[in-house]
Amino acid sequence: MDSSLFYGGQQAHHLVSDLLGGNRGPEPVILRENLFIVSSNEDGSRRYTTKSLFDITLLFVAEHIHRVDSLVDFPDPIGAKLFSVAHKINIFSIRDLAPKGLQLFVDAYGEMVLKSLCLRNRAHLLVERTAEVKSFLSLTSLDLYGCQLGDEHEIFQHLTSPLLASLAQLFMGNNDISDAGLQRLTAPVRIMHRGLASLQLLDISGNPISRKGLRYLTCLPKLVTLDVSGTNMKLSTGLKTTVWELLGLIYSEKPLDVFDHSRSYISGGP
């Protein structure tokens, strides 16, 4: 099934807007007009035609998505339609319902729901919607640049969870992360050999990290791109030698590409 059937482009932008919408009540916004197809008669008056039983059922299930046990084995086309209806009635903007609703779709459809998440410079969103962020377990790219993480943010534990083993790109620049933060972030990988095993790109630019902190990254077996610009490390022959000996990486004149969120802050699929 094409992943674009779930989230991408304009729909993705709306989801971020929903998440930023603040507190909402515990009930979804249901317009009873959704039960009818509205058209015009020849005289200009409105004509109401009842929607199909299938569409009415989808609306009912979407309204009560928090009472659904599982969507596993639901046909993909029906899952896509149900997701669309749930979004239309603002299920994902309701704090009491959003985590459960998102979790149901993630459990059933994985990366088709969301593959790339960008929260660049949106620290408040990360704080307010941590539960929703943690529900996305099939992410391949995550941008947390400028999210005020520091050295002990709770998201570190999630990043190194075995459930997030698909993560290949991680942007953590400008977060006031020091050597101690890198040590804490990579501890589960170094000690228990779990988490970040698929990480290929890591951006830790703009953080107060020294050459000493590089040794904590030797536990990332697939790391091929590392951005340490703007840190406490000064470019020198010695630094180039250290990076090569520890990580097998060579200095590149080309800067790291910025996370691509030109279409939306949340993008589903490639």
Side-chain angles (χ1 to χ4, degrees), residues 1 9 13-14 46 52 88 93 117-118 145 171 200 228 260:
M1 179 180 175
H13 177 75
H14 288 324
R46 289 187 176 184
S52 68
K88 184 177 181 180
S93 67
L117 175 62
C118 181
Y145 186 99
F171 297 79
Q200 300 175 27
V228 293
D260 182 14

Side-chain angles (χ1 to χ4, degrees), residues 145-163:
Y145 186 99
C147 282
Q148 303 175 20
L149 300 181
D151 285 336
E152 300 183 357
H153 200 282
E154 62 176 297
I155 199 67
F156 285 8
Q157 184 175 0
H158 176 63
L159 296 177
T160 54
S161 167
L163 299 175

Side-chain angles (χ1 to χ4, degrees), residues 59-106:
L59 178 60
F60 179 83
V61 175
E63 290 184 68
H64 301 87
I65 194 68
H66 56 294
R67 300 185 184 278
V68 175
D69 290 331
S70 175
L71 293 175
V72 175
D73 295 330
F74 263 49
D76 289 349
I78 295 180
K81 290 179 181 293
L82 181 60
F83 191 89
S84 179
V85 173
H87 173 261
K88 184 177 181 180
I89 63 175
N90 298 322
I91 288 294
F92 303 119
S93 67
I94 302 170
R95 294 203 175 195
D96 293 340
L97 304 184
K100 173 65 183 298
L102 288 172
Q103 191 66 58
L104 284 170
F105 286 102
V106 170

Side-chain angles (χ1 to χ4, degrees), residues 7-266:
Y7 259 95
Q10 192 62 26
Q11 275 190 316
H13 177 75
H14 288 324
L15 179 55
V16 170
S17 297
D18 290 343
L19 294 178
L20 288 171
N23 293 316
R24 288 181 180 263
E27 296 300 328
V29 179
I30 306 299
L31 300 177
R32 289 305 156 192
E33 288 80 357
N34 287 337
L35 301 178
F36 301 93
I37 300 174
V38 182
S39 57
S40 298
N41 295 310
E42 292 183 359
D43 60 1
S45 61
R46 289 187 176 184
R47 178 174 59 205
Y48 293 85
T49 305
T50 305
K51 286 188 176 181
S52 68
L53 180 60
F54 174 75
D55 289 336
I56 293 175
T57 301
L58 274 182
L59 178 60
F60 179 83
V61 175
E63 290 184 68
H64 301 87
I65 194 68
H66 56 294
R67 300 185 184 278
V68 175
D69 290 331
S70 175
L71 293 175
V72 175
D73 295 330
F74 263 49
D76 289 349
I78 295 180
K81 290 179 181 293
L82 181 60
F83 191 89
S84 179
V85 173
H87 173 261
K88 184 177 181 180
I89 63 175
N90 298 322
I91 288 294
F92 303 119
S93 67
I94 302 170
R95 294 203 175 195
D96 293 340
L97 304 184
K100 173 65 183 298
L102 288 172
Q103 191 66 58
L104 284 170
F105 286 102
V106 170
D107 289 345
Y109 304 106
E111 66 178 21
M112 289 188 291
V113 177
L114 194 71
K115 291 180 65 176
S116 300
L117 175 62
C118 181
L119 299 176
R120 178 167 288 237
N121 296 319
R122 297 215 171 191
H124 63 290
L125 182 55
L126 180 61
V127 171
E128 295 171 3
R129 297 292 180 170
T130 301
E132 287 91 325
V133 172
K134 288 183 177 180
S135 68
F136 300 121
L137 302 179
S138 298
L139 295 176
T140 58
S141 298
L142 177 60
D143 191 341
L144 298 175
Y145 186 99
C147 282
Q148 303 175 20
L149 300 181
D151 285 336
E152 300 183 357
H153 200 282
E154 62 176 297
I155 199 67
F156 285 8
Q157 184 175 0
H158 176 63
L159 296 177
T160 54
S161 167
L163 299 175
L164 201 61
S166 59
L167 194 63
Q169 298 183 340
L170 180 59
F171 297 79
M172 302 182 71
N174 195 26
N175 271 298
D176 200 27
I177 298 173
S178 69
D179 294 343
L182 280 186
Q183 180 181 22
R184 185 171 185 271
L185 175 66
T186 59
V189 190
R190 291 182 288 104
I191 299 173
M192 295 175 281
H193 304 288
R194 66 171 177 81
L196 300 179
S198 300
L199 195 65
Q200 300 175 27
L201 180 154
L202 177 62
D203 175 8
I204 50 176
S205 62
N207 290 305
I209 296 170
S210 70
R211 190 181 306 185
K212 177 183 176 182
L214 292 176
R215 70 176 187 272
Y216 298 123
L217 304 180
T218 59
C219 61
L220 306 177
K222 296 185 178 181
L223 188 66
V224 294
T225 304
L226 176 67
D227 188 349
V228 293
S229 58
T231 64
N232 290 341
M233 290 178 273
K234 303 300 181 182
L235 183 62
S236 64
T237 301
L239 177 61
K240 293 179 181 179
T241 301
T242 299
V243 173
W244 168 253
E245 292 178 347
L246 287 177
L247 305 172
L249 301 178
I250 59 175
Y251 174 72
S252 173
E253 296 285 349
K254 180 182 178 182
L256 188 67
D257 291 334
V258 176
F259 186 95
D260 182 14
H261 54 273
S262 57
R263 291 184 306 150
S264 60
Y265 285 100
I266 298 182

